[in-house]
Amino acid sequence: MTDQLATLLSEQRRFPPPVGFAARALATEKLYRKAQADRLGFWEDEAKTLDWMAPWSRVLEWTSPHAKWFVGGKLNVSVNCLDRHLSGPRRNKAALIWEGEPGDRRTLTYWDLAREVNRAANALRTLGVKRGDRVAIYLPMIPEAAIAMLACARIGAVHSVVFGGFSAESLRDRINDAQAVALITADGGYRRGQVVPLKRFADEALVECPSVRHVMVVRRRPGADGDEAFAEMKEGRDHWWHRLLAAAGPEALPEAMDSEDLLFILYTSGTTGKPKGIVHTTGGYLTQAAATTKYVFDLRDEDVFWCTADIGWVTGHSYVVYGPLANGATVLMYEGAPDWPERDRFWTLVERYGVTVFYTAPTAIRAFMKWGTEHPARHNLSTLRLLGSVGEPINPEAWIWYHEQIGKGRCPIVDTWWQTETGGIMITPLPGVVTTKPGSATIPFPGVSAELVDAKGQRIEKGGGFLTLTEPWPGMLRTIYGDDERYRQTYWSRFPGRYFAGDGAKVDEDGYWWILGRVDDVLNVAGHRIGTMEVESALVDHPSVAEAAVVGKTHELKGQALAAFVTLKEGAKVTAALKDDLKEHVTKKIGAIARPDDIYFAADLPKTRSGKIMRRLLKDIAEGRALGDTTTLADPNVVAKLKDQYESEEG
Ligand code: 7RM
């Protein structure tokens, strides 16, 4: 072990599953043993819990790097998420409980949701959308987002959801890459009290999207029928969603899809400027989404499951829509911001709907920490029984805060590592089985084979290295849409025979995984490897610090030096003494090797809309380079401000 791994590996706290939780958990140790003994048998048994229209002949056909799962099997995803729940007691159960940012509320039972999906499917068919066609979805977090996805699945159209926070240009590029024939959007969505005029952005995008023949427009703004200010309807091309659905029949025959037919494309940023269209198919994807939802979230009929991700990200696909609905669960969906109208909005929702399982991102947790404990303290959170984290490494301090302030020391935390590319959760504790350590995603899900390798691709048992996956898994991406060569290059060429996730990780004495983040975040200072997260974790441990991002800056002697961007908790003052104090603090927590050369105080950190800190941009700032692509930034001004500030401090 090298000393720079100290911060995380010196994390000695252990949280065994609470006895009461373990006693009734859906997952048991037996699952691990079963998958260990017969990996394909494990996945096959999970696939059998779904409804198939025709059986498969082989579980897996693997011609590296191309996988086919449940070969020859036929099924429809919407049937699995809806129809099969309609014959029993779930028929009248809430499938979707929704709250809009302005406070409007809707509840759709499984029956209601099925009806809407069938009507939407018929509406799409009326417009001439056929099996295999691509449909772009550009919607706020409203029930119609889930309805539109499921309607596509019902008729075998491939959806490409574009996050509602993306610009017209991003939407245009994604539509064109997929050659979508239709777009489903809304007149607007609410965010921090403002209307986001999605239809206007869509109109702007569509000027350069010749493939789109039809646009369905959801009227999000009640009473605004015919309100041309937000939705100028183009004759022949644009159709109000509610009018088409009112005219459509309530039953639509589902297509029998091949297990390997495309279910969706989802665009994700790569190392180049051009986003990659990640391709997911039907049978394997749904099997993994359903199985992970069931075991990782210990999901049962009486739960209210709230995954706070937007439907525009893979987490929204797998854990707002497909995984929970395949399990017949009740899903809570919320449209707006966590601090609107007050910083306790999430806790208001947890209390109002009696949320039992809550799944969010570390960036949100750190914001809650910064806002102060009085907000959750004002609410009754006693229905919560399980908490989840996803999207980035969670620093032990945030983990402990989440555990104490939200879970009241009672709820297990599942820190789940996975990617758009993996389709579903890959490394995670199973609650009730695995003892957790704050900051560690613990061990691979049953049936998942992860291995650590060094820079030469040699397998290593423990220490620091690269996270690779050695065996195909059902939810894996099948290719990059229209660019199979890029698929091979990006994921399978760095370490031949292995899927390389792009993440650095450490494995400890107990075989636990500690994800360090993207390897471009792993720095090399004077020949020592330092995870930016370790330094960030040390900084966040300081009482004055709210959030920190650390990047490498080219250094003559050391190769790289550390530059830290820090936001302070409310009430903390920016002083020269604090700067020294922070450097000392890191030195104390990790060692002199991790002492940042520069510390910059910032009002906010540049983040993508999904909440990931854009270290690449911070690096550009730290090194005085021109800024890279900022189109995925939530607020590009944050970067500009930081750059100005940095340059004046440098000067
Ligand atoms: C689900 C999602 C994927 C990248 C991945 C990691 C990082 C995600 C964790 C995590 C540490 C976690 N898909 N990441 N989960 N890092 N611990 N639990 O986020 O495609 O948008 O991002 O996110 O770097 O490669 S994603």
Side-chain angles (χ1 to χ4, degrees):
M1 179 176 55
T2 51
D3 39 306
Q4 63 270 26
L5 305 183
T7 300
L8 281 177
L9 293 191
S10 68
E11 174 55 64
Q12 289 303 325
R13 289 167 286 198
R14 302 283 180 277
F15 294 83
V19 176
F21 196 104
R24 61 189 297 265
L26 292 176
T28 61
E29 239 186 293
K30 230 173 70 191
L31 274 188
Y32 289 105
R33 284 202 299 271
K34 176 177 168 183
Q36 185 72 37
D38 180 9
R39 188 174 61 89
L40 295 183
F42 166 79
W43 286 119
E44 180 167 36
D45 283 351
E46 292 306 323
K48 283 180 184 160
T49 69
L50 302 176
D51 266 14
W52 294 77
M53 295 160 166
W56 53 88
S57 55
R58 285 181 72 188
V59 175
L60 171 68
E61 207 175 282
W62 177 233
T63 319
S64 180
H66 293 112
K68 289 185 180 163
W69 282 85
F70 311 114
V71 184
K74 304 236 182 295
L75 76 165
N76 184 285
V77 167
S78 79
V79 168
N80 277 281
C81 291
L82 302 168
D83 304 46
R84 66 173 174 149
H85 305 311
L86 299 182
S87 48
R90 283 178 183 151
R91 181 187 195 274
N92 300 318
K93 171 183 174 173
L96 226 53
I97 299 175
W98 173 83
E99 192 169 302
E101 198 189 67
D104 39 345
R105 296 163 66 165
R106 282 166 71 187
T107 299
L108 285 87
T109 63
Y110 270 94
W111 177 260
D112 295 333
L113 186 61
R115 281 286 154 135
E116 290 295 293
V117 167
N118 276 269
R119 286 187 195 279
N122 280 330
L124 284 166
R125 279 180 174 150
T126 309
L127 297 179
V129 177
K130 296 184 309 295
R131 180 178 174 136
D133 285 344
R134 276 79 54 217
V135 175
I137 298 176
Y138 185 57
L139 286 171
M141 278 294 277
I142 55 177
E144 282 74 13
I147 294 166
M149 290 163 74
L150 290 161
C152 288
R154 194 158 192 91
I155 67 168
V158 179
H159 61 68
S160 164
V161 182
V162 179
F163 174 54
F166 275 127
S167 65
E169 281 187 32
S170 304
L171 175 63
R172 176 198 65 197
D173 294 347
R174 285 161 174 75
I175 287 175
N176 287 336
D177 188 78
Q179 288 292 289
V181 302
L183 169 68
I184 304 175
T185 187
D187 53 356
Y190 291 92
R191 187 82 189 172
R192 295 210 168 83
Q194 302 289 308
V195 177
V196 182
L198 290 170
K199 175 63 162 64
R200 269 199 231 148
F201 299 149
D203 284 340
E204 214 179 304
L206 290 175
V207 172
E208 293 172 288
C209 296
S211 62
V212 173
R213 298 191 300 263
H214 294 286
V215 182
M216 284 175 80
V217 186
V218 177
R219 191 185 50 178
R220 164 73 187 100
R221 302 171 53 256
D225 202 3
D227 177 354
E228 303 284 291
F230 283 90
E232 217 172 284
M233 303 297 278
K234 193 170 156 188
E235 189 68 34
R237 185 196 72 178
D238 299 352
H239 319 268
W240 284 109
W241 166 281
H242 61 283
R243 295 206 184 135
L244 284 185
L245 263 66
E251 276 166 43
L253 274 185
E255 290 285 329
M257 303 305 289
D258 188 273
S259 181
E260 283 301 329
D261 277 337
L262 269 61
L263 177 64
F264 67 86
I265 303 169
L266 184 59
Y267 287 85
T268 187
S269 317
T271 44
T272 73
K274 189 180 186 287
K276 301 174 283 198
I278 302 301
V279 169
H280 284 289
T281 58
T282 303
Y285 169 81
L286 192 64
T287 298
Q288 189 164 345
T292 51
T293 305
K294 176 174 58 185
Y295 295 126
V296 176
F297 299 111
D298 192 48
L299 209 60
R300 335 153 166 268
D301 265 316
E302 60 273 25
D303 276 313
V304 176
F305 180 62
W306 186 17
C307 165
T308 67
D310 191 279
I311 233 126
W313 312 114
V314 73
T315 307
H317 285 58
S318 301
Y319 301 106
V320 176
V321 181
Y322 294 121
L325 297 180
N327 279 285
T330 295
V331 169
L332 175 65
M333 196 171 169
Y334 166 60
E335 179 186 33
D339 55 351
W340 190 267
E342 299 293 336
R343 289 171 165 181
D344 66 348
R345 184 65 183 269
F346 273 22
W347 318 124
T348 304
L349 288 159
V350 167
E351 184 172 8
R352 178 170 301 148
Y353 299 105
V355 172
T356 57
V357 182
F358 179 70
Y359 187 34
T360 196
T363 186
I365 298 166
R366 290 192 299 263
F368 301 142
M369 284 174 78
K370 179 176 167 179
W371 295 342
T373 55
E374 64 270 25
H375 302 293
R378 263 206 300 279
H379 295 276
N380 181 348
L381 307 181
S382 64
T383 51
L384 289 173
R385 63 181 194 92
L386 178 62
L387 304 174
S389 172
V390 63
E392 48 177 322
I394 179 164
N395 45 295
E397 286 62 38
W399 196 103
I400 294 289
W401 187 92
Y402 196 28
H403 182 72
E404 289 174 355
Q405 302 301 326
I406 307 305
K408 313 292 180 191
R410 199 184 59 238
C411 308
I413 296 180
V414 288
D415 173 3
T416 62
W417 176 86
W418 61 294
Q419 309 177 291
T420 304
E421 291 87 341
T422 69
I425 291 168
M426 299 293 279
I427 301 182
T428 179
L430 289 183
V433 182
V434 175
T435 292
T436 54
K437 305 179 186 184
S440 169
T442 75
I443 60 176
F445 186 81
V448 169
S449 318
E451 279 183 11
L452 191 70
V453 298
D454 65 17
K456 295 196 189 81
Q458 297 299 312
R459 177 167 191 200
I460 44 180
E461 287 292 326
K462 57 185 180 194
F466 301 94
L467 198 180
T468 67
L469 300 165
T470 57
E471 300 289 349
W473 62 100
M476 70 189 280
L477 78 165
R478 298 304 193 260
T479 187
I480 292 173
Y481 194 72
D483 198 347
D484 196 58
E485 189 44 39
R486 190 173 176 197
Y487 166 68
R488 292 170 178 276
Q489 275 301 321
T490 308
Y491 303 106
W492 299 92
S493 69
R494 173 96 186 253
F495 303 115
R498 295 168 182 273
Y499 170 88
F500 174 48
D503 281 313
K506 289 179 318 205
V507 175
D508 71 14
E509 302 288 329
D510 299 325
Y512 274 40
W513 288 81
W514 301 75
I515 314 299
L516 297 171
R518 310 296 301 189
V519 280
D520 30 23
D521 300 343
V522 178
L523 311 177
N524 192 318
V525 177
H528 300 273
R529 187 194 264 156
I530 299 176
T532 51
M533 186 223 163
E534 294 171 80
V535 185
E536 287 163 14
S537 189
L539 284 165
V540 173
D541 179 61
H542 188 279
S544 299
V545 175
E547 203 165 24
V550 170
V551 296
K553 172 178 175 172
T554 309
H555 188 276
E556 254 190 283
L557 295 176
K558 301 191 258 187
Q560 281 186 310
L562 297 174
F565 294 79
V566 165
T567 66
L568 296 181
K569 288 199 183 134
E570 241 138 79
K573 293 233 158 35
V574 172
T575 60
L578 180 59
K579 231 181 225 191
D580 291 336
D581 198 12
L582 291 181
K583 290 183 184 178
E584 245 347 277
H585 191 74
V586 175
T587 307
K588 201 177 105 234
K589 294 284 284 187
I590 306 177
I593 182 197
R595 183 185 175 95
D597 277 31
D598 307 301
I599 289 189
Y600 300 99
F601 296 112
D604 217 338
L605 297 176
K607 288 180 189 156
T608 63
R609 292 190 181 92
S610 64
K612 293 191 205 307
I613 295 171
M614 295 196 75
R615 293 200 177 67
R616 183 173 50 80
L617 289 172
L618 291 176
K619 204 169 146 70
D620 287 346
I621 294 164
E623 304 199 321
R625 277 197 302 269
L627 286 181
D629 179 24
T630 59
T631 53
T632 57
L633 273 179
D635 179 4
N637 291 328
V638 174
V639 186
K641 261 188 248 151
L642 270 174
K643 187 170 161 64
D644 290 342
Q645 188 186 335
Y646 177 84
E647 281 166 357
S648 62
E649 278 190 43
E650 282 277 281

